[in-house]
Amino acid sequence: MDCSRLHRSECNRGVSGIDGCTSTALGASVIYRGVTLLISGDMSFQYDIAALSSFLISPKFKMIVLCNGGGGIFRFISSTSDLPEMEEFLAVGTRLPLKDLAAGYGFAFFDASSSTELEKALAAFVAENRKPALLAVNTPPELSANVLKQYFERP
């Protein structure tokens, strides 16, 4: 993916605004002529799943869902990451049948659980132009939180 051609970038972070991310990206895709890509965590995605039923979704709308066991932000922020009840009551986890949801809403579906699978799936995901597309990237919860921590600790 050529990031030099990036038109615009927007974001919501964790508990600071996860509700409505899919609807917001969908709205942006209606007025933008190029491809709109939404990257969402699994918990954020489930908060706004009804947006997928919109008749406004076109093949230029693409979503990547990071399937990292829900509530990844709680594994990352210092106020909650070490709480013994964090997994049970904050991160919670999700049961998202993404493949079934994609089929039900008319999305092409792609799935990856390793870097090799991701490379292959990402190429097909980007090339899809007949349907909106959803790519599920499956990562272990702890690994996902550690990668995010390392990202923010960079100089």
Side-chain angles (χ1 to χ4, degrees):
M1 192 175 289
D2 182 7
C3 291
S4 66
R5 296 179 38 209
L6 186 66
H7 170 71
R8 183 172 156 171
S9 177
E10 308 271 342
C11 71
N12 290 336
R13 182 188 73 75
V15 297
S16 301
I18 61 174
D19 297 340
C21 291
T22 305
S23 293
T24 301
L26 173 59
S29 76
V30 171
I31 58 173
Y32 179 56
R33 293 181 189 186
V35 172
T36 296
L37 172 65
L38 169 64
I39 301 174
S40 177
D42 49 7
M43 186 172 273
S44 298
F45 172 76
Q46 77 178 3
Y47 278 114
D48 198 17
I49 205 165
L52 300 184
S53 66
S54 173
F55 67 90
L56 297 174
I57 293 179
S58 76
K60 61 184 185 142
F61 185 73
K62 298 182 181 289
M63 295 183 67
I64 296 175
V65 179
L66 303 175
C67 302
N68 60 2
I73 190 70
F74 297 112
R75 294 183 188 97
F76 170 74
I77 57 177
S78 60
S79 61
T80 58
S81 63
D82 293 327
L83 292 174
E85 56 276 330
M86 189 274 303
E87 284 297 330
E88 185 177 2
F89 296 111
L90 297 175
V92 181
T94 60
R95 265 184 296 191
L96 281 173
L98 289 178
K99 185 175 184 176
D100 295 333
L101 289 166
Y105 288 115
F107 278 64
F109 179 74
F110 305 89
D111 190 40
S113 296
S114 70
S115 57
T116 303
E117 289 177 8
L118 180 59
E119 189 173 326
K120 182 178 177 183
L122 192 57
F125 171 77
V126 169
E128 175 60 53
N129 63 10
R130 293 169 290 130
K131 296 179 174 183
L134 190 151
L135 169 60
V137 178
N138 304 293
T139 63
E142 299 78 23
L143 176 61
S144 183
N146 287 336
V147 167
L148 187 58
K149 283 179 189 175
Q150 291 173 8
Y151 174 80
F152 284 113
E153 290 171 355
R154 293 181 321 171

